[in-house]
């Protein structure tokens, strides 16, 4: 292996830069030529890339987002797009790729691997929804951001004896909502993995909490449930408590990465290059109980991840 490429794809996540940095630095140290590919698979298909050196990744470990930019590329999913990308790799002599992103990005990596370009996936998404990993790059920073935002919302919610219904990101998964809900002491947490009953799980919980003397309430709602405007209106109608809805939005995806995201991203980036140098491709680097491991991409994409129901139960038991 003499030349490799690195790209970020899908939604950006804090810590992606740390992962790119580790790939570039460990690649250079091993004598590889490392290409930084811009805007994910779009840049690969259109040959938008540059050779990176050790200094080209200085002062990026602390920055959120991805300095290589990111994109979701519908064209790359077609055979034509795929062949275009393979042509570019062949012309450049790129023999292996590190793809930092989520499940969608790994599907692209799997398809490229199948067509003879060995790829290693690194899980980068705030959603923590990749089945083979118990943690994904960006998740920790995002959780901390949500916690800080909701702490602020709580100040004003408490000052007015209100109920705030806060929607957090996560696509179809409830990991962010569940853990942020615990960290913020939410009265109720609604996630797509657990069916809920509005009367029992929202109104009754608010009323019970109210009877113990608490006058303000935070309800955390996963994006996969949505509908926070309507929920706030219904809560106000049923309880008489003045209610507000807040969609936190993209503020959750930005910001300087946490220690955990920087360290894990660095370890994963290093590990990915090690695999490529051993001639191993078609793998996803994953974190399991803080250990870095790797899985076959096909296997990884077929794995299922479930929410920790005990954690969900505990969250509600202690939030009264
Ligand atoms: O996957 C990360 C994520 O932020 C999800 O939580 C969210 O559903 C989605 O991306 C938003 O995507 P976009 O930035 O394209 O609106």
């Amino acid at each position: 292996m003499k030349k490799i490429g690195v790209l970020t794809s899908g939604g950006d996540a804090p810590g992606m830069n740390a992962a790119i940095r580790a790939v570039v630095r460990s690649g250079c140290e091993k004598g590889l030529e490392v290409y930084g590919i811009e805007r994910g698979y779009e840049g690969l298909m259109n040959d938008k890339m540059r050779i990176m050196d050790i200094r080209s990744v200085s002062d990026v470990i602390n920055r959120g987002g991805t300095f290589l930019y990111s994109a979701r590329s519908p064209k790359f999913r077609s055979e034509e797009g795929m062949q275009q990308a393979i042509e570019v790799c062949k012309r450049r002599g790129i023999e292996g790729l590190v793809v930092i992103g989520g499940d969608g990005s790994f599907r692209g990596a799997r398809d490229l691997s199948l067509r003879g370009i060995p790829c290693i996936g690194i899980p980068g998404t705030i959603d923590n929804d990749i089945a083979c990993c118990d943690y994904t790059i960006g998740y920790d920073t995002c959780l901390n951001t949500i916690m800080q935002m909701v702490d602020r919302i709580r100040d004003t919610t408490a000052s007015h004896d209100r109920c705030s219904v806060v929607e957090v990101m996560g696509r179809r998964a409830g990991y962010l909502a569940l853990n942020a809900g615990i960290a913020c002491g939410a009265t109720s947490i609604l996630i797509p993995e657990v069916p809920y009953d509005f009367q029992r799980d929202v109104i009754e919980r608010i009323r019970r909490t109210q009877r113990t003397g608490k006058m303000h309430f935070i309800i955390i709602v996963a994006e996969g449930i949505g509908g926070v405007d309507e929920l706030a209106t219904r809560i106000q109608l049923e309880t008489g408590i003045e209610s507000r809805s807040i969609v936190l939005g993209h503020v959750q995806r930005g910001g300087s990465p946490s220690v955990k995201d920087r360290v894990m991203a660095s370890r994963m980036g290093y590990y990915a290059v090690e695999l490529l140098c051993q001639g191993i491709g078609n793998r996803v680097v994953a974190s399991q109980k803080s250990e870095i491991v790797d899985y076959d991409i096909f296997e990884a994409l077929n794995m299922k991840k479930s929410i920790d129901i005990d954690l969900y139960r505990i969250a509600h038991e202690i939030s009264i």
Side-chain angles (χ1 to χ4, degrees), residues 4-9 35-50 68-69 71 73 75-76 81-92 94-99 105 108-109 112-113 117-119:
I4 64 169
V6 56
L7 60 84
T8 46
S9 164
Y35 284 86
I37 301 162
E38 290 186 359
R39 295 183 174 81
Y41 293 119
E42 277 297 314
L44 185 61
M45 288 183 301
N46 298 312
D47 198 14
K48 294 277 184 270
M49 57 182 77
R50 57 187 189 272
L68 284 179
Y69 307 102
S73 174
K75 186 178 173 194
F76 181 70
M82 190 78 49
Q83 289 306 328
Q84 204 174 314
I86 291 168
E87 272 308 302
V88 172
C89 288
K90 286 195 176 139
R91 206 165 54 240
R92 292 271 194 178
I94 294 175
E95 296 159 295
L97 278 179
V98 178
V99 173
S105 314
L112 277 176
S113 296
I117 311 284
C119 294

Side-chain angles (χ1 to χ4, degrees), residues 72 125-127 169-171 223 250 253:
R72 298 189 175 101
T125 165
I126 59 165
D127 302 334
M169 278 188 169
R171 205 179 288 273
E223 180 184 16
H250 286 79
R253 250 185 21 209

Side-chain angles (χ1 to χ4, degrees), residues 132-168:
C132 66
C133 313
D134 57 19
Y135 151 88
T136 57
I137 295 169
Y139 176 60
D140 187 62
T141 307
C142 180
L143 268 181
N144 279 288
T145 304
I146 297 173
M147 184 186 71
Q148 286 160 17
M149 296 297 130
V150 176
D151 283 352
R152 286 164 193 232
I153 291 168
R154 178 192 295 282
D155 290 345
T156 167
T157 307
S159 303
H160 291 267
D161 293 336
R162 281 179 177 163
C163 173
S164 289
V165 185
V166 186
E167 181 185 306
V168 303

